[in-house]
Amino acid sequence: MKKQFPYLLVSVLVPLCILVAAGAQENMTTVDSSVFGKPERTQTVFRHESHNEKAKIDACNECHHVYKDGKKLEDASSEDKRCSDCHGLANSGRTPSLRKAFHFNCRGCHEKSGKGPVMCGECHLKENRR
């Protein structure tokens, strides 16, 4: 039995780690800005689950959108991808840069709804400096 214990322990811990990683987006507290290298501003504070509860957002594709031929596909979602998978550091054709996409999507929604931060320092908090 003592020889089997490490295998039993691993068989329990590995699936547990996978489940924790799968639920990581719900626990996310900042927007991943690693693609920017050395950004001028801090990472944006973003608590995914509480944001969606406050904003009453149920559909993932509200933010995790998919476009084809310049049109938003209403039944498609890109939640399995990172924003930087589609948006690069520079504009590419009709696809805005990652920075523009974040600002247009997030800030644009805040301005339209009249709720949420719209000024730089309201999202890019100094105490969040890496």
Side-chain angles (χ1 to χ4, degrees), residues 16-68:
L16 182 62
C17 289
I18 291 170
L19 285 173
V20 168
Q25 189 164 351
E26 280 74 31
N27 298 322
M28 179 175 42
T29 57
T30 58
V31 173
D32 179 18
S33 64
S34 61
V35 71
F36 292 115
K38 192 170 182 168
E40 293 177 28
R41 297 199 178 266
T42 61
Q43 286 181 306
T44 302
V45 172
F46 181 75
R47 291 172 182 82
H48 186 268
E49 199 65 25
S50 64
H51 170 270
N52 291 349
E53 286 175 16
K54 285 181 193 174
K56 296 181 173 80
I57 296 174
D58 294 322
C60 296
N61 66 350
E62 185 78 26
C63 300
H64 300 276
H65 52 256
V66 176
Y67 281 84
K68 184 173 182 178

Side-chain angles (χ1 to χ4, degrees), residues 93-129:
R94 297 177 75 181
T95 304
S97 70
L98 184 59
R99 181 176 286 117
K100 281 187 179 180
F102 280 141
H103 290 136
F104 179 78
N105 201 33
C106 303
R107 185 176 166 199
C109 184
H110 293 170
E111 288 174 339
K112 183 179 175 183
S113 68
K115 298 177 182 173
V118 294
M119 301 300 291
C120 302
E122 293 174 312
C123 293
H124 301 279
L125 303 176
K126 290 184 182 193
E127 58 267 14
N128 197 37
R129 177 85 41 208

